Structures are given as structure tokens and as C-alpha cells.
Amino acid sequence: MIEFRDLHKSLGGEAILRGIDLVVQEGETLVLLGPSGAGKSVLLKHAIGLLRPDRGDVLVDGVSIARASAAELKRVRRRVGYVFQNAALFDSLTIAENLRLAQDDDRELRDVEECRAEAKVLLERVNLDPSVLDMYPPQLSGGMRKRVGVARAIASHPRYLLWDEPTTGLDPVNAETIDALIKELAAELGVTSIVVTHDLESAFQVGDRIALLYEGRIHICAPPEEVFTSTDPVVQRFVRRGRVSVPAAV
Amino acid sequence: MSTVVSPAPLRGVLSGLETIGRAALLAVSIVRILPRPRMYLRSFINQAYLMGIRSLPLVLLMAFLGGAVTSQQTGAQFTGALPLWVIGSVVAASVITELGPVLTAIVLVGRIGASIAAEIASMKVTEQIDALYAMGRDPVVYLVVPRVLAGVVVLPPLVVLADAMGVFSGWGIGLLVVDGLTSADFVYGMRFYFRPWALIFSVLKAGAFGFAITFLACFIGLEGRGGAEGVGRTTTAAVVATTIAIMVLDVALVPVLKMY
């Protein structure tokens, strides 16, 4: 379970998060919507201590991220996979080496061939040809890099997955592949996910609940149908654009 | 009447102290990781190759030019005033204790320091450093320790080679351009001056320069923020800071030469 408790964060003198209270239950997929710059990625980064809160706390499996020691934080991070908005692959490493970083840790080096075989399966899961294993990230298209980022995030078999705009920049077929993967990981392995997205169709497809981050607070957090039928003007304004295509998905 | 003190200077002091504190914490992290070579050995070898073998031609060229200038200048200024063998002493003294280490360090500031700072800052702004943290990896193990260790290990042999190149070029060019200078004069002057401690001092200085260049470049790179412009600013800051650090160390280490 991931629990955000009265989380406050200012960046560059501007209050981004102004008291976030949110609980993500075990096995749940929570979609986080909100205008650009609302602090969705900032919130996600607090979940694994990439940012420290000014006030409040985040608890992952009961461990306080704000007060965790370096060793505790490392243990928590090994249980969490993070899909970065721009993939954040290491340009100087091949795709295989990028995946390898998530497959073993500093102290326990696994067999190279075993990792490579597993990496091929990971790439197939995100609809990528295993032939990219020996290529470098700059040789891949933006969409391919993004999918390698997803493969890397799931490589360590995490219990939690934090997805920062996983389908942005992907063609519809690959966006569907990622949506299906999110649902599959939740259904088969009980993976808990927080998905930050602007893609309303994807949000309604994968989310058990949808939270709207607005003006530094969670404005609404409810099942997709409830969010979609809400008469709240802020929610209405936000989901209006997706209304034409979304009902079929709900 | 109450005195109003502007908080701006205080903020500057506090920010400076915070930066020093972060640098000290980075140094402590490096020391804690050093006893576990398995974690960084491969990357260290790669970095040592990049810094050592790839920098060698430029280092030797600079040393050649440094030695050539020294023997010509000494010949031009001392001919008729002092015996010619003094050229050998001046070339050996200036190349081994000063030009060899400093020119090599300046080459590495441009070739390695700038590249380290730019690479790490660009990794920072593209969230690659965050990605390492997110995977439970320590960026100090992957990025900092291999580079700093390679700097400390590679600079001394590079400086010894630069010293040799500088002395031989000073000798060769001196024979060509200084009227009346013979090899016997040059070697006599060189032997007259030479003490083993000067060479040890040169190597110690190289190690200190290697640490300063790589540590500061890594630290400044990790502090990088902003987009492409931020990476540019970080790289410039790293080059300026490492160059100043080398000159400050050069001055600060002079008393060590006088120890023996």
C-alpha cells in the first residue's frame, strides 16, 4: 500500500503540492490526472524518495519515505518500478545493459545469458523485437525508447509500478499494448500501479480509480464512471475533451 | 533605532556552506565505496583507458612543446651570462616539478573534466540519475568512484611520461637552437639539479591534480540543473573551478617540494 499523508512541496518558491492525502490500495491501479504543471510527476517522485517533502510523508508498505535511511530507501526502491516520462535510458549503454541494471543489483550479479534471455521476453511484452538488445538508445525512435523504459521498469519484478505518462508519444497500437500490460500486471501478478497520464482513454481503460490533482490537492478520487459523470465544474472541464471517445471504454 | 540586516549575504553564506557540505558528503561516499572494488572495477578500467590511453598523444604533444619552449627561452636569456649547462638544470627543474604536472592537468581539464561534467549534468537533466536511484542503484558507485579513481591512478603515469617527453624535447631542441650547447653540457646540468624527490613530488602532485579534476567535475555535474543551457553552464563552471583548483593546489603544494 502507498499512502500519501498531508504532502506539501514547493519548488522554486511555488507551492506545487498543498496537502495531498491519498491511499493507493494493494493491487489497485490508480490513475492520476491533472493539468500540465499540476505536480503529478512531483507527487510520483515522492513515492520513492527522489524528492523529499517539505511537510507530510509517504508510506510504502508502512515505511516512511521521508524518514527512511539510505538502506531502507534502497530496499523500497527495489520493490518499485518507475517508468520515466522520457524513458531516461542510459545513452552510453546498450538496451541489454540498460535492462541488466534493473535485473540484478550492486552485490548480486546474475548470469549474462540468463539475463539476456529474460530481456528478450521483456522486450516482447512491450511489443519490441529482441534484435534491439545490442542497439544503443539514440538508435531507437522515441516510442521504442519509451517501451524499453517500460521493459526496464518491470524487469525487477516490482510489486509497485509508477508510470509517468507511459502512452504519451506512442502510436495507438503501442499505447494499447502498454494499457494491456498495465492491466495484465495488475490482474496476474497483483501489481499496484499509479499511472500519471493525459490520455483519458487510457485512464478510463486501466484505472480502478481516477484522482484529479488540481491546485495542489486531490480534487476528486473515485471510480472512472463516477469521475466521468461528475457534475463538478473542474472535473467536467477536465474530462470534456475525452467525453466523445471515453464512454465506450467505461 | 534598529539595524536592518539584509538576508541576502547570509543566504549566500548558507548556500556556500551547503555546497561544501554536499561535496564533503560525496567525498565520504567515495571513501565508503572504495573498499568494494567488485562494484566499480569494470567501469574503472574503462574510464582509466579513456583518460589514460586516449589523452596520451595530446599530453605528449603539450609536454614536447613545453620542454621546447623552456630550453629556447633559457638559452636566449642566459647565453653569455651563465654557463650553458644551466639550461639542462632549468629544463629538468621546470619540466619535472612544474610544467609536466600542470600542463598534463590542463590537458585533462579540457579533455576529461569538461566531458565528465557535461555527461553527468546531461544525465541529471534527462532523469538518468533519478533512474539509477529508482532502480536502487547508487550513482556514486556507477559514475563518481570509477572516474575519480581513474583520475588519481592515471595522472601519475601520464605525468611521468610528460616529464620524460619534456626533458627530451628540451634537450633536442636546445641542441638545435642554442649555439654551443652540447649533450654533455645538458646532461651535466640535468644531473647537477636532479634529486629523486623532485620526481616523487611530480607524481604526488599528479595524483592530487587527478583527484581535483575528476572529483570537482563529478560534483559540479551532479549539481547541474536546467536543460541544454544548464548543461553548458555546468560544463563551463567545471572547467573554471578545476583550473582554479589546479593552480591553487600548485601553489599550496610548493612547501612539500622543500621537505626533502
Side-chain angles (χ1 to χ4, degrees):
Chain A
M1 188 169 79
I2 301 178
E3 195 177 348
F4 298 90
R5 281 186 187 169
D6 192 29
L7 200 72
H8 287 72
K9 182 70 180 178
S10 294
L11 291 171
E14 194 190 340
I16 306 291
L17 305 178
R18 301 175 189 175
I20 301 285
D21 285 296
L22 186 65
V23 177
V24 187
Q25 298 294 347
E26 205 70 35
E28 181 186 26
T29 299
L30 181 118
V31 173
L32 195 58
L33 295 177
S36 297
K40 303 182 294 293
S41 302
V42 171
L43 183 66
L44 221 51
K45 285 183 176 177
H46 278 86
I48 51 166
L50 293 178
L51 288 172
R52 296 273 173 169
D54 298 336
R55 209 170 86 202
D57 204 349
V58 185
L59 303 180
V60 177
D61 290 339
V63 177
S64 157
I65 298 298
R67 285 193 291 273
S69 66
E72 279 174 327
L73 210 49
K74 200 170 169 178
R75 276 197 294 275
V76 168
R77 285 168 175 166
R78 293 296 298 173
R79 295 202 295 269
V80 181
Y82 198 118
V83 179
F84 285 86
Q85 203 170 334
N86 296 308
L89 301 178
F90 304 106
D91 293 342
S92 56
L93 302 180
T94 63
I95 302 305
E97 288 165 337
N98 264 282
L99 295 174
R100 181 85 197 267
L101 276 175
Q103 287 175 309
D104 51 23
D105 64 28
D106 293 343
R107 291 156 195 278
E108 191 188 325
L109 295 176
R110 289 173 53 197
D111 178 66
V112 179
E113 285 311 313
E114 187 189 323
C115 285
R116 210 176 156 81
E118 202 177 281
K120 285 180 183 169
V121 176
L122 286 167
L123 290 177
E124 277 162 4
R125 287 196 87 167
V126 294
N127 210 13
L128 274 175
D129 193 295
S131 64
V132 301
L133 268 179
D134 296 315
M135 293 168 87
Y136 287 87
Q139 294 174 281
L140 306 182
S141 72
M144 290 165 92
R145 281 202 294 270
K146 191 129 198 171
R147 282 178 281 153
V148 174
V150 173
R152 188 177 66 182
I154 61 173
S156 59
H157 310 290
R159 282 182 55 200
Y160 299 99
L161 272 163
L162 308 175
W163 310 74
D164 197 351
E165 301 196 21
T167 54
T168 307
L170 293 185
D171 61 78
V173 174
N174 282 311
E176 263 180 40
T177 305
I178 300 300
D179 285 347
L181 182 66
I182 296 172
K183 287 200 281 190
E184 198 181 300
L185 290 168
E188 289 175 14
L189 305 170
V191 172
T192 307
S193 284
I194 303 178
V195 185
V196 165
T197 187
H198 286 293
D199 181 346
L200 288 176
E201 196 170 326
S202 167
F204 284 87
Q205 285 276 352
V206 303
D208 295 319
R209 281 189 304 156
I210 292 180
L212 177 64
L213 181 60
Y214 185 73
E215 293 186 340
R217 294 188 182 87
I218 298 296
H219 191 78
I220 187 172
C221 184
E225 308 79 31
E226 209 175 300
V227 171
F228 200 72
T229 53
S230 166
T231 53
D232 183 297
V234 172
V235 181
Q236 276 294 305
R237 210 168 63 213
F238 202 78
V239 297
R240 199 182 300 144
R241 273 178 68 88
R243 193 161 233 187
V244 178
S245 57
V246 170
V250 175
Chain B
M1 195 178 80
S2 64
T3 309
V4 179
V5 180
S6 163
L10 185 65
R11 274 204 300 271
V13 171
L14 285 176
S15 157
L17 287 174
E18 274 175 19
T19 306
I20 292 169
R22 284 197 298 274
L25 286 175
L26 180 63
V28 170
S29 302
I30 294 171
V31 172
R32 288 172 68 175
I33 291 160
L34 277 178
R36 289 175 278 172
R38 198 168 150 263
M39 291 165 78
Y40 56 79
L41 193 62
R42 224 179 86 184
S43 185
F44 158 72
I45 292 168
N46 188 31
Q47 289 298 326
Y49 171 78
L50 288 175
M51 284 186 203
I53 306 295
R54 292 254 181 112
S55 304
L56 189 59
L58 197 55
V59 165
L60 292 179
L61 174 69
M62 294 295 277
F64 176 87
L65 296 173
V69 167
T70 310
S71 70
Q72 286 186 80
Q73 289 275 11
T74 315
Q77 290 178 34
F78 292 167
T79 302
L82 289 171
L84 288 176
W85 59 259
V86 171
I87 295 172
S89 299
V90 172
V91 167
S94 49
V95 165
I96 293 172
T97 59
E98 196 58 37
L99 287 178
V102 172
L103 285 179
T104 305
I106 298 294
V107 167
L108 264 79
V109 165
R111 258 206 97 249
I112 304 298
S115 136
I116 289 175
E119 185 184 359
I120 294 181
S122 126
M123 289 181 77
K124 178 92 185 287
V125 303
T126 55
E127 294 184 311
Q128 292 177 48
I129 304 277
D130 277 351
L132 277 174
Y133 280 122
M135 286 185 283
R137 303 280 184 163
D138 185 352
V140 179
V141 173
Y142 285 88
L143 303 171
V144 180
V145 171
R147 284 165 175 78
V148 173
L149 192 61
V152 174
V153 170
V154 160
L155 252 280
L158 277 180
V159 164
V160 169
L161 292 171
D163 288 348
M165 174 58 93
V167 168
F168 281 115
S169 83
W171 183 355
I173 297 296
L175 292 179
L176 285 174
V177 301
V178 180
D179 285 339
L181 179 71
T182 63
S183 282
D185 287 336
F186 191 91
V187 172
Y188 174 77
M190 218 165 59
R191 294 181 66 177
F192 182 80
Y193 155 76
F194 186 77
R195 290 165 297 152
W197 177 243
L199 194 59
I200 294 168
F201 174 70
S202 185
V203 167
L204 290 176
K205 218 166 155 175
F209 288 169
F211 176 79
I213 295 167
T214 48
F215 177 79
L216 284 174
C218 288
F219 177 68
I220 293 169
L222 285 170
E223 296 274 298
R225 48 179 62 99
E229 196 191 339
V231 174
R233 269 199 312 271
T234 303
T235 311
T236 307
V239 170
V240 171
T242 45
T243 308
I244 292 172
I246 283 165
M247 296 319 290
V248 170
L249 271 175
D250 198 31
V251 173
L253 289 172
V254 170
V256 178
L257 179 63
K258 295 176 183 168
M259 281 168 63
Y260 297 95

